[in-house]
Amino acid sequence: MKIAIGCDHGGLNLKGEIIKHLQAKGIEVKDYGTYNTESCDYPDIAIQVAEDIINKNSNFGILVCGTGIGISLAANKVPGIRAALCSDTFSAHATREHNNANILALGERTVGVGLALDIVDAFLNAEFQGGRHQNRIDKISKIEKKYSK
Ligand code: RB5
């Protein structure tokens, strides 16, 4: 499995912990930065991870900012991206099973490292259930098409 990961300055520490966690499991990680605590703009990172997923270079993306909100909002502007901000493990596996989420977003300032790593595991270990859920995702795609020029 290959994971694309990125953060702004508000998510730097948690991103580092997630990379260590994934690499210890033998999972390949592509790190899109940011790489230091200097203030930066989360959309600049979100688009790189989102495009990596759309181009099928990685299986899933993980994005971290202070709250996880801004970076998930930005990623979700890319057609085909379903970025889910999760702060509990139930949502993390449910968003894979029901929404076929392809990016997990986390907030460094809202969840502790231990919980965040459990959320990552719950997300990556779950599988999309298809069926009626695919029908709903198709409707999301239709909305995207209606409003893209
Ligand atoms: C940066 O200070 C902060 O606004 C950002 O990390 C994020 O929380 C935005 O949603």
Side-chain angles (χ1 to χ4, degrees), residues 8-11 42 65-71 109:
D8 74 354
H9 54 287
Y42 52 79
C65 69
T67 58
I69 297 173
I71 209 156
R109 298 173 188 159

Side-chain angles (χ1 to χ4, degrees), residues 13-15 17-18 21-22 25 62 64 67 85-93 104-125:
N13 181 58
L14 181 54
K15 185 192 70 172
E17 295 294 334
I18 294 169
H21 179 72
L22 294 176
K25 290 172 182 279
I62 298 178
V64 191
T67 58
L85 170 60
C86 296
S87 50
D88 65 275
T89 54
F90 182 87
S91 299
H93 67 77
L104 170 67
L106 290 159
E108 177 175 321
R109 298 173 188 159
T110 60
V111 290
V113 173
L115 175 57
L117 299 182
D118 281 355
I119 290 170
V120 167
D121 289 344
F123 183 87
L124 296 180
N125 291 332

